[in-house]
Amino acid sequence: MFLLVIFIGVNLAYNHYYKEKASVPMYIVYGITILGTLVCNSKFGIIIVCATLLSIIMVGSNKVRNLVLLLIISISVLSIGPIKQNVVQRFLMASESGDLSNGRLSALDYLSDSNVPLPHIFTGEGMGASDSLLQSVSDLNNIEMPFVMYMYDYGIVVTILIYIIFYLFPISIFIKNKHFYLCYLYTLIFVFANSYNGMAVSIGITQILTFVAMLLINMSNRLKKQSILEP
């Protein structure tokens, strides 16, 4: 699901800023994204992709055409019986359980109700400390919230530095270059990356986010340079 969020975000950024026909038509990109999202069946992923696709209606030049195209593709994909049943069932199960966050909020409740020690300011207990702490006071395996896991694993100061590097630094460049649509797209990618524990337990997920951040930063700087050179 994370790769799909990146896939649609980078394609929309290219299509918006370079104003040239991509090698793959955008309707195919939309179709792959919608189909892949429903197959992955991530509730938050569906929300993020909807927010991403709706942006093409807000910033695109052919708003009506884009809206009609998205509706046709979405209805067509949802008409596939197994996919429709799978998606609806996932939301119904979460609703009936009373926790749409799939245990994320429950994990925080266990930590707050169990009087566990607060995270240290400058140091942590090392990778996996947050999971061990949660498992000691509940039957849950992990917190699934990277910023909470970072605080227990590495300390509050390191957590702040991580988010400055991964989010505030790229966003400051996009704002400086007046590429506000890149701010929006990267924010959605970043928010989804922080919606599960991937960043805190997998070096690979962090490397992917680093690559995407640098890709969009380089795109922004190149576009800014081209705009300066153009008469």
Side-chain angles (χ1 to χ4, degrees), residues 125-138:
E125 301 296 331
M127 180 180 287
S130 56
D131 289 345
S132 298
L133 182 64
L134 179 64
Q135 291 164 11
S136 69
V137 297
S138 74

Side-chain angles (χ1 to χ4, degrees), residues 157-214:
V157 171
V158 172
T159 300
I160 293 173
L161 289 174
I162 288 173
Y163 282 90
I164 288 175
I165 294 170
F166 276 107
Y167 184 70
L168 293 183
F169 177 68
I171 289 297
S172 65
I173 293 176
F174 301 149
I175 293 176
K176 177 183 177 182
N177 293 339
K178 298 181 179 180
H179 294 145
F180 302 110
Y181 189 46
L182 278 182
C183 287
Y184 179 78
L185 293 174
Y186 182 72
T187 296
L188 291 178
I189 293 172
F190 184 80
V191 167
F192 185 81
N194 280 269
S195 68
Y196 66 110
N197 65 344
M199 283 182 61
V201 300
S202 172
I203 296 175
I205 298 297
T206 307
Q207 289 175 332
I208 291 173
L209 184 62
T210 303
F211 175 82
V212 173
M214 290 306 303

Side-chain angles (χ1 to χ4, degrees), residues 19-30:
K19 307 295 183 184
E20 60 185 61
K21 188 175 182 180
S23 57
V24 178
M26 287 306 294
Y27 70 86
I28 294 180
V29 172
Y30 300 152

Side-chain angles (χ1 to χ4, degrees), residues 39-102:
V39 170
C40 288
N41 203 14
S42 163
K43 296 190 300 294
F44 193 64
I46 292 174
I47 294 172
I48 290 292
V49 166
C50 286
T52 305
L53 292 175
L54 286 175
S55 70
I56 69 174
I57 300 172
M58 296 183 290
V59 303
S61 56
N62 297 305
K63 295 180 175 58
V64 176
R65 186 198 66 183
N66 289 335
L67 176 60
V68 172
L69 184 60
L70 284 177
L71 287 175
I72 292 174
I73 295 175
S74 299
I75 293 172
S76 299
V77 173
L78 280 172
S79 65
I80 302 175
I83 292 179
K84 180 180 178 180
Q85 183 178 2
N86 192 33
V87 172
V88 172
Q89 185 67 21
R90 181 79 188 276
F91 276 93
L92 287 176
M93 290 176 61
S95 178
E96 291 172 357
S97 68
D99 185 3
L100 292 174
S101 67
N102 279 1

Side-chain angles (χ1 to χ4, degrees), residues 90-158:
R90 181 79 188 276
F91 276 93
L92 287 176
M93 290 176 61
S95 178
E96 291 172 357
S97 68
D99 185 3
L100 292 174
S101 67
N102 279 1
R104 291 171 177 83
L105 297 181
S106 298
L108 292 181
D109 289 339
Y110 275 115
L111 291 178
S112 61
D113 294 340
S114 303
N115 295 319
V116 298
L118 294 175
H120 299 302
I121 295 177
F122 296 105
T123 61
E125 301 296 331
M127 180 180 287
S130 56
D131 289 345
S132 298
L133 182 64
L134 179 64
Q135 291 164 11
S136 69
V137 297
S138 74
D139 57 353
L140 300 176
N141 292 322
N142 46 62
I143 298 175
E144 294 279 357
M145 293 182 176
F147 72 94
V148 177
M149 299 175 70
Y150 283 144
M151 286 192 291
Y152 279 104
D153 293 354
Y154 309 118
I156 295 175
V157 171
V158 172

